[in-house]
Amino acid sequence: MAARHPLRRQALPRSTQTRNEEFTVQAELEALGLKPWVPTQLRSRKVKEKKERVWYKAAYVPKLMFRVIPAIYYRDVLDLKHVIGKPLELSRMDIEGVPEHNGPKGLVAAKPGLRDFQAAVDAEYEKAARIRDKNEMTCDYVPGQALELLSGPWAGFQAIFKDVIQTAHDEFAKVRVEMELFGSKREVTVDPDGIRAA
């Protein structure tokens, strides 16, 4: 039987628990030259005094981050102030997931892994960032200004800017424009990033 390589463990990702100081520990690990992944989400809350929405980053799963920890840094990571417990070693199946397959009792459903989780978290963060950017958009158009539509079924059409509207059920403000279609004028509501000055 071949002997196991003494540094083999360093190549496996580990999850690390923190004391609600995920971003502090992330900065400390980056100072050591390690680049951890902290599952992050973009949240917003309404501030009544300012009558506006404030956006901030928060841990998607509190007290959790992922990083390959080389053996030489293992003791340093455990000595960090806000790290609690020992890092947990993840298997290849934990990282890659398990595809759907036939087991002894029939079909076994697929189980997502860390990579699937990371892709879902990143997609959710990007969606929230787009909503934030649309919310923070300032309108540089004036009523009556000529615009060109960039996306959707009306891409390439010319329109006239009317105003910005915000309804209760919309996540962000929309732009109302007036277009000429088949000889008559119609008002259309479009996303703010789907127009530009003509």
Side-chain angles (χ1 to χ4, degrees):
M1 177 182 266
R4 287 186 67 179
H5 191 280
L7 297 180
R8 179 79 177 129
R9 289 179 44 172
Q10 76 179 14
L12 296 174
R14 300 172 183 272
S15 67
T16 305
Q17 283 198 332
T18 64
R19 292 187 177 119
N20 289 324
E21 295 286 343
E22 297 85 7
F23 301 115
T24 304
V25 173
Q26 181 182 22
E28 291 171 345
L29 289 176
E30 286 174 352
L32 289 172
L34 303 173
K35 295 194 183 331
W37 177 61
V38 178
T40 306
Q41 61 183 323
L42 200 54
R43 291 184 177 172
S44 68
R45 61 182 160 82
K46 199 156 190 156
V47 180
K48 290 181 182 178
E49 300 82 34
K50 295 183 180 180
K51 295 184 180 178
E52 65 182 30
R53 194 166 283 286
V54 176
W55 292 85
Y56 62 97
K57 288 182 180 180
Y60 196 90
V61 179
K63 302 181 183 181
L64 191 66
M65 68 177 51
F66 298 90
R67 173 65 190 133
V68 173
I69 303 174
I72 195 167
Y73 290 109
Y74 189 79
R75 186 86 250 147
D76 295 331
V77 170
L78 290 182
D79 290 341
L80 292 175
K81 180 181 177 184
H82 299 290
V83 173
I84 54 174
K86 291 170 81 175
L88 172 69
E89 191 169 327
L90 301 179
S91 70
R92 173 80 47 210
M93 289 192 315
D94 292 332
I95 297 165
E96 302 296 334
V98 179
E100 184 177 70
H101 63 281
N102 287 321
K105 295 184 179 180
L107 191 63
V108 178
K111 293 181 182 174
L114 177 61
R115 293 194 195 284
D116 299 317
F117 174 64
Q118 185 174 13
V121 169
D122 290 346
E124 192 173 309
Y125 187 92
E126 288 173 16
K127 180 182 177 188
R130 281 194 305 275
I131 292 170
R132 178 199 59 199
D133 293 345
K134 289 177 182 179
N135 271 325
E136 293 176 351
M137 181 204 81
T138 56
C139 187
D140 297 330
Y141 306 116
V142 294
Q145 183 175 355
L147 303 173
E148 180 184 353
L149 301 177
L150 303 174
S151 60
W154 313 113
F157 279 78
Q158 298 293 316
I160 303 295
F161 176 74
K162 297 292 276 181
D163 59 358
V164 176
I165 55 172
Q166 174 84 45
T167 58
H169 63 276
D170 284 335
E171 293 178 299
F172 52 87
K174 303 244 181 185
V175 176
R176 185 170 27 216
V177 298
E178 185 178 84
M179 299 173 53
E180 188 168 325
L181 294 171
F182 309 114
S184 64
K185 294 187 178 187
R186 301 184 65 166
E187 287 188 354
V188 179
T189 303
V190 296
D191 287 348
D193 59 354
I195 55 173
R196 72 175 172 205

